[in-house]
Amino acid sequence: MKRLICGVMLSALVAASCSVFETSDNGDLDGMWQLQALDTLRTGGTADMRDSLLFLSVQMHLAYLKDYRNQLFKGVFYHFDHTRDSLIITDPYYDNRAAGDVKTEHTDDYLGAFGFEELDQRFGIETLTGKKMVLNNRQYRYHFRKY
């Protein structure tokens, strides 16, 4: 009888844990990405960004932009949609846990550090592996390495 009760309890625990924990379908996109270089598509110029400390982190359904040089801002959360050849980030919120995350209504110097002139961004994915990612939008090509 004790074995039966233990078996039922263990089965219930396993079933509950499967429904509590979600898994991500993001594949190689998940992780913390450091911006290494930024190409200007219009001029063909390239900026070395390795010392910029600009990061894009992706987990589950959120992308997080963070400039680790700028201690005044914690970062910006985005929702995203990822397909095989595109990444679309939308609906930005400034990370401000004390006052509640604040919806971003306009671009500013913080988002400008990432080359964003619009709040929502549509990227083409040129390369995405477990170590390297290259994205492009209408103006820039972003070269990232997984950190």
Side-chain angles (χ1 to χ4, degrees):
M1 184 66 157
K2 286 182 184 180
R3 287 185 190 183
L4 178 61
I5 292 173
C6 287
V8 169
M9 289 177 58
L10 182 59
S11 297
L13 181 62
V14 169
S17 68
C18 291
S19 63
V20 171
F21 298 107
E22 294 184 46
T23 59
S24 172
D25 294 335
N26 296 328
D28 287 333
L29 182 62
D30 273 345
M32 187 172 188
W33 297 92
Q34 182 184 19
L35 185 61
Q36 297 288 290
L38 185 64
D39 301 338
T40 304
L41 298 178
R42 187 174 41 236
T43 65
T46 298
D48 183 352
M49 303 296 288
R50 289 177 290 186
D51 294 330
S52 70
L53 299 178
L54 297 174
F55 286 84
L56 168 65
S57 298
V58 177
Q59 184 177 10
M60 292 300 294
H61 308 291
L62 291 176
Y64 185 68
L65 293 174
K66 174 74 174 143
D67 179 354
Y68 283 92
R69 294 170 306 163
N70 187 342
Q71 297 305 314
L72 296 177
F73 292 101
K74 292 183 179 178
V76 179
F77 288 106
Y78 275 92
H79 289 99
F80 71 89
D81 184 33
H82 170 230
T83 64
R84 189 178 62 75
D85 61 353
S86 69
L87 175 66
I88 302 167
I89 60 174
T90 59
D91 206 22
Y93 282 80
Y94 280 112
D95 182 2
N96 186 352
R97 297 288 187 224
D101 297 334
V102 179
K103 184 165 178 60
T104 306
E105 298 294 336
H106 54 83
T107 58
D108 55 19
D109 291 340
Y110 189 81
L111 291 174
F114 292 91
F116 291 3
E117 295 178 2
E118 299 172 1
L119 291 176
D120 296 344
Q121 295 290 312
R122 177 180 293 274
F123 299 99
I125 299 175
E126 294 182 11
T127 303
L128 179 58
T129 68
K131 296 180 181 183
K132 180 180 177 182
M133 177 170 62
V134 179
L135 305 175
N136 71 63
N137 60 15
R138 293 183 302 233
Q139 298 170 345
Y140 301 105
R141 179 174 293 115
Y142 298 80
H143 299 266
F144 291 92
R145 75 167 173 112
K146 192 166 270 187
Y147 192 76

